Amino acid sequence: VDLAALFRYAARLNFHEGVANHFSCAVSPDGTQFLMNPRGRHFSQVCASELLLLDANDPETMKRPDAPDISAWGIHAAIHQKIPQARCVLHVHSKYATVLASLADSTLYPIELNTMRFFERVAIDEGYDGLALDTDEGSRLARLMGEATILLMANHGVLAVGNTPARAFDDLYYFERACETLVTAYGTGKPLRIVSPEMARRTAEEWNEFAYLADDHLREIKQILDREEPDYRT
């Protein structure tokens, strides 16, 4: 239900890309069994009961009649298998994160609270090599990600992971907001007011003290959906 809520709300935020992009959430202790959206389903239509239950260790997955999107399988299966603490994995081509991913310098400079939140928490994939059509690409991304919670995929988009759906989505939401601020600041043509690494690091640590707000965020999202489109739970 939590994952279905994230699909619905991501569509409202225009994070979706037609019927592409994909979210997943682990349901087994080792993280290798996970739920993911069915291929070709618009985020705004996803219901809890239609999420696919997949196993990262099952080599026959893509032969299923309800096989997931091949690039979704290539990314999510490997990340859940290689990074079990990544209980929830969210991949989108949201507007401002993708703009930043398209720049020669994709650094998220610490210029205000949201950008500082992600100081030393973002890995940048500089090795775009086409669509992720097998788990080798997902394994490469997992190695590159390491302990980061955000992977900015150059020439592609963004991937967020978290130990709960609430935390992963909260990071995805605030990362997009941070990218919007930075891209807007670039648009002024004026020099950036970049804070010191020490101040950015301290602010990022202070953000961690408010991690519970991610649960509040998801609770409020579900209340909105319960009132306006409760079929996401079905």
Side-chain angles (χ1 to χ4, degrees):
V1 169
D2 286 352
L3 190 59
L6 298 189
F7 284 111
R8 295 294 185 99
Y9 207 71
R12 291 184 177 213
L13 295 172
N14 200 30
F15 284 5
H16 63 294
E17 185 91 316
V19 294
N21 292 173
H22 17 88
F23 294 174
S24 62
C25 185
V27 294
S28 63
D30 65 355
T32 58
Q33 293 184 1
F34 57 94
L35 298 171
M36 190 165 68
N37 47 311
R39 181 181 60 80
R41 189 70 162 151
H42 196 277
F43 275 20
S44 66
Q45 301 277 63
V46 173
C47 297
S49 61
E50 63 190 19
L51 296 171
L52 303 177
L53 177 59
L54 305 175
D55 188 334
N57 295 310
D58 182 5
E60 301 298 308
T61 295
M62 291 309 299
K63 296 180 181 178
R64 290 170 44 155
D66 63 344
D69 177 86
I70 188 169
S71 62
W73 174 248
I75 292 174
H76 291 249
I79 289 177
H80 280 299
Q81 192 172 47
K82 304 290 185 183
I83 313 178
Q85 69 269 25
R87 305 296 296 178
C88 187
V89 181
L90 311 177
H91 172 55
V92 293
H93 303 159
S94 52
K95 179 179 178 178
Y96 290 98
T98 303
V99 169
L100 185 59
S102 303
L103 301 179
D105 180 3
S106 295
T107 304
L108 185 70
Y109 289 103
I111 59 171
E112 47 76 60
L113 289 175
N114 291 339
T115 50
M116 288 183 239
R117 170 176 173 150
F118 297 99
F119 188 71
E120 297 178 332
R121 291 181 54 200
V122 180
I124 300 177
D125 174 23
E126 304 280 5
Y128 177 75
D129 192 30
L131 298 179
L133 301 181
D134 57 52
T135 54
D136 288 344
E137 175 65 359
S139 295
R140 184 186 71 81
L141 295 176
R143 288 192 300 271
L144 181 62
M145 194 158 200
E147 298 298 316
T149 58
I150 295 288
L151 178 64
L152 188 63
M153 306 163 77
N155 308 109
H156 189 165
V158 62
L159 187 145
V161 305
N163 57 2
T164 66
R167 190 58 194 264
F169 187 79
D170 204 54
D171 270 1
L172 182 67
Y173 173 86
Y174 277 102
F175 186 75
E176 178 68 5
R177 297 277 291 188
C179 292
E180 181 178 7
T181 299
L182 181 60
V183 168
T184 303
Y186 278 141
T188 69
K190 302 291 187 179
L192 299 178
R193 186 188 295 272
I194 301 173
V195 305
S196 68
E198 293 76 20
M199 179 56 68
R201 190 174 297 114
R202 176 179 139 193
T203 303
E205 291 170 355
E206 290 172 343
W207 265 105
N208 287 332
E209 297 176 13
F210 295 91
Y212 61 86
L213 290 176
D215 295 323
D216 294 344
H217 192 182
L218 180 55
R219 181 197 66 231
E220 294 298 301
I221 287 171
K222 289 163 68 178
Q223 286 185 1
I224 293 169
L225 295 174
D226 286 342
R227 182 174 63 251
E228 299 177 3
E229 45 183 305
D231 64 308
Y232 78 96
R233 289 180 172 271
T234 61

